[in-house]
Amino acid sequence: MTAPQAQVPVTVRTFAQRFSATRRGARLARLLAAHQLIAWGIPRGSSGFEAAALVVAELAANAVVHGLVPGRDFALLLRYDDETGVVQIEVSDTHDRQPARVVPDRDDEHGRGLLLVDALADRWGVRERQGPGKTVWADVKAPRQRDGRMTHGTGALVKRSG
């Protein structure tokens, strides 16, 4: 008789939700994403938490403003990989129009969302999805705080001595 095999712990956590394509739906997506990041152990106020929350806010707002198809909602999918400390963010809408980065004039009130995503995400892009529309995705480094011994430094996980 052989010894039982140890099970590999689950290292990828997921959160998925559909939202109405309204400003309220975009706000709710941001709030629930922030709650989920905290539940996964990503400290509020850390640069990874703030970057991930802002990317979700921008992509959800874009889905509502630019990806709106009347009567259709948008979807948010978050994945967190414990080993890499990366949050994968996906926002899907049913509009075929591809997002475009623009350089707004200094006085423009809009047009900075994808510039912000580009600055905060380690990488991002757009892909087709099953059914109509597209998925805009972004990866953000957001290490968890572990047992009070690990903290988020300047873009890397830093182990405290002592």
Side-chain angles (χ1 to χ4, degrees):
M1 185 175 229
T2 61
Q5 297 289 330
Q7 289 187 351
V8 176
V10 174
T11 60
V12 177
R13 303 161 193 273
T14 61
F15 171 82
Q17 183 69 47
R18 298 188 74 78
F19 298 94
S20 63
T22 63
R23 291 186 187 276
R24 184 174 185 209
R27 180 175 181 268
L28 185 57
R30 177 182 54 82
L31 292 172
L32 288 177
H35 178 75
Q36 190 61 57
L37 295 171
I38 292 167
W40 287 338
I42 302 167
R44 181 183 295 275
S46 68
S47 60
F49 175 92
E50 297 301 330
L54 280 170
V55 168
V56 168
E58 288 300 330
L59 296 183
N62 283 352
V64 168
V65 173
H66 304 293
L68 177 64
V69 173
R72 301 282 176 99
D73 52 6
F74 72 95
L76 170 67
L77 173 63
L78 302 176
R79 288 187 196 94
Y80 185 73
D81 187 322
D82 283 338
E83 290 183 23
T84 64
V86 171
V87 177
Q88 297 173 325
I89 301 161
E90 295 184 6
V91 175
S92 301
D93 64 54
T94 55
H95 202 288
D96 291 331
R97 182 181 340 150
Q98 297 293 305
R101 277 184 283 189
V102 296
V103 179
D105 289 334
R106 194 174 77 189
D107 296 334
D108 287 348
E109 294 182 15
H110 302 285
R112 291 175 179 79
L114 289 179
L115 293 174
L116 186 60
V117 170
D118 195 47
L120 294 172
D122 296 310
R123 60 191 195 116
W124 71 277
V126 183
R127 69 172 173 267
E128 292 183 16
R129 63 183 287 247
Q130 288 286 73
K134 67 193 167 296
T135 296
V136 183
W137 59 269
D139 291 346
V140 175
K141 187 79 169 169
R144 292 178 13 168
Q145 186 172 11
R146 301 171 194 233
D147 303 332
R149 296 182 56 137
M150 301 297 265
T151 121
H152 186 257
T154 57
L157 202 56
V158 179
K159 190 168 188 173
R160 289 186 185 166
S161 59

